[in-house]
Amino acid sequence: METEHSLDKACYSASLSLRDIKITDDFWKNEMELVRREVIPYQWEALNDRVEGAPPSFCMRNFRVAGKLNREKREKGAAFEEPKYTFRGFETLPEDPEHLEDKFYGFVFQDSDFSKWIEAVGYSLTQHPDPELEKTADEAIDVVCAAQQEDGYLDTYYIINGRDKTFSNLRDHHELYCFGHLAEGAVAYYEATGKDKLLRAAQRFADYIAEYFGEEEGKCKGYPGHEIAEMALVRLYRATGETKYLKLSRFFVDERGKQPYYFDREHPEAVKKGEEKELRYQYHQAHLPVREQDEAVGHAVRAVYLYSGMADVAQLTGDDGLYHACETLWNNIVNEKMYITGGIGGTHVGEAFSYAYDLPNDTAYAETCASIGLVFFARRMLQMKPDSKYADVMERALYNGILSGMALDGKSFFYVNPLEVNPEACHKDERKFHVKPVRQKWFGCACCPPNLARLLSSIGSYAYTENKDTLFVHLYMGSVLTKKVAGQDVDVCIESDFPWNGNVKVRVRAKGSSFKLALRIPEWCGSYTVKGAETARTRTKDGYLYVEKDWEEEEVLELCFPMEVRLMAANANVREDIGRAAVTRGPIVYCLEEADNGKDLHLVSIDTASVSVSGPAVQDETVCQVPVKTIELPGFRQEKPEGQGLYIPWSAGQKKPVRLKLIPYYMWANRGENEMQVWTRAE
Ligand code: FUB
Ligand code: ZN
């Protein structure tokens, strides 16, 4: 019996193997193809510093240097080189880029770029075998493994700079973060190819870490300064069955925030100087034990990676208390700290969550990685409790704040995803220097592009989860699924034209089986219809329509989720958005761009009275050769009289009626540098 405090464990579900899912719809297949054809090869060039005009990565170079040192044994006595702190973390820059010595270069977490790349390669190979890419990947793995130390340690920063300082700065130096990405990449590559060289390397590193950290007496009581090891260890546990990895993950989750703070023990000089302030602990989500945290604070990527790890541990250990801690944090994010695009992180100071309802549009951070982490968190919450509130946010982030991170041609990227851009301000106002008005080829700190690659190439694994008798459909992407559910062969084929059209066909071939289908009812549709379920037992619960029956040879359910154009308002506490409306249709958030509406977007407004009479016009068009539905609305443009002084007596001013044209937010900035805005004045 489910109570407020105990979850129904029979509802726990797991994500499906990518092998069982084939993505067929135009929208996501196109994104996956971009990753396969453009992003993966491009990133390989970037990891090898071969992209002209892009900041060098040094990633593979560092592995090569570390591998050489590994073979020749590092000379003792070389001075430990502290990286310098830059805006986004600790970076070691070459003094003379022409004549590089055999040193470590780049950010201390540069190894993770390889790991995310190999993870994306693994997923891509699952869907699309490619012997040449696999050969490149195998060779890259050889380079990485050559750097591994005899004791299993594998982080090039410390291999090159001195093992004596290993784990001496967990707070800032990302060794456990690099390990986490390595483990994720290794499992993905193993599952795709069956090749276990990298998996064994990741396990050896994990074993080393498990010897060093833990609750047992004598072991280090530290935890990662940048979370991810928590969920990576769970993944390693699922792949290998080694319970010590799950135990270590739970240790990292539970140790965080205990007093006295581990980071204080590690940095006594900072404590002495009084530098260790509440905000500093919050940055790492280390201010309180995680079960007592009820507000999402600090660095947004770190936070959602931690919450994802907490959710993993909660599910695997059946820990309802931990689930409820996750749920509290989830609710706090989506009710007070999330942009309408699914972006999170309202301030660039610390790349962090701001206070409740502080969601500025033009200085937003909304890092691509943070929205990706929110999707990780959402899927894990869904696995414990099939409640559409999680899938709605997952869909919102995927179609909006994540896809905006990559250009339509897959060749340039956004790190920061603002909701309003005036390019002049980005160039001249230091407070907005983090906001780029055009996507960049690469970044010195290149966390986002390879994160996008690994997410998009595994997109199918977010559409479904399953438990012993139910298949949950969370996202309606055209796909074919072939597998056993409740012990019976089942074929489920989804035909959909999401996100442009809400008609979905679910074709089920499962004769002899009586498994349940649980179909998400999207939050954005007021009402929906379903045909073909007349002979089934149906009920709705937590935003899912459950369809149960003895399936015949082939059956088709036809769902219709009407996609109306909606004018949305923000909560009145969001000061930035008061009096403004955002336009959405189905899962897509729309925006105005200068290319369609001219300069000075701050002067336009939506004529809401006319919208309710004549309605918006939805049109099929192409933007940069990509088919899309655009929206036209009646609006006004305020006139700028010639020679007007800076301050004048107030009057309503002159305005002329205009047609406003909106395109999907994720498509903005594909037609050159120009203004953009999501929230527009409404009158
Ligand atoms: O610190 C590693 C990654 O770099 C973070 O997740 C991003 O926010 C960027 O700072
Ligand atoms: Zn990032």
Side-chain angles (χ1 to χ4, degrees), residues 88 109 174 177 226 299 301-302 351 367 415 445 447:
R88 290 209 175 94
F109 46 85
H174 290 64
Y177 170 86
H226 191 315
H299 185 270
V301 181
R302 283 172 164 83
E351 309 180 301
E367 183 179 340
Y415 190 119
C445 168
C447 49

Side-chain angles (χ1 to χ4, degrees), residues 116 301 367-370 415 446-449 451:
K116 287 191 230 174
V301 181
E367 183 179 340
T368 308
C369 286
Y415 190 119
C447 49
C448 300
N451 226 354

Side-chain angles (χ1 to χ4, degrees), residues 602 638 640-651:
H602 66 292
Q638 191 172 326
K640 279 203 284 189
E642 289 281 317
Q644 196 179 51
L646 187 54
Y647 301 107
I648 47 175
W650 187 89
S651 76

Side-chain angles (χ1 to χ4, degrees), residues 1 82 119 240 313 337 364 397 454 543 631 665:
M1 184 62 189
E82 278 288 346
E119 189 177 340
T240 63
V313 171
K337 298 195 174 190
R454 68 182 182 132
I631 295 176
Y665 167 74

Side-chain angles (χ1 to χ4, degrees), residues 28 46 55 61 84 122 154 171 206 237 278 297 301 326 332-333 528 535-536 640 677 680:
W28 289 110
R61 189 183 188 284
K84 290 167 198 64
L154 183 45
R171 191 189 67 180
Y237 158 71
E278 177 73 4
V297 292
V301 181
C326 290
N332 177 254
I333 294 175
Y528 69 97
T535 58
K640 279 203 284 189
Q677 93 189 1
T680 297

Side-chain angles (χ1 to χ4, degrees), residues 2 7-14 315 323 327 378-392 464-467 469-474 517-521 539-546:
E2 189 178 343
L7 284 183
D8 180 0
K9 309 289 187 291
C11 281
Y12 274 15
S13 64
Q315 180 174 11
Y323 166 80
E327 198 193 20
R379 189 183 71 189
R380 286 160 172 83
M381 294 304 276
L382 276 173
Q383 288 176 200
M384 278 185 284
K385 188 162 192 283
D387 185 326
S388 64
K389 72 178 184 181
Y390 301 122
D392 286 330
Y464 305 96
T465 58
E466 63 174 340
N467 65 20
D469 62 4
T470 308
L471 179 70
F472 296 89
V473 182
H474 305 297
L517 256 184
L519 303 160
R520 170 178 152 250
I521 305 160
R539 70 187 173 107
T540 51
K541 186 171 184 247
D542 296 330
Y544 284 78
L545 170 69
Y546 287 79

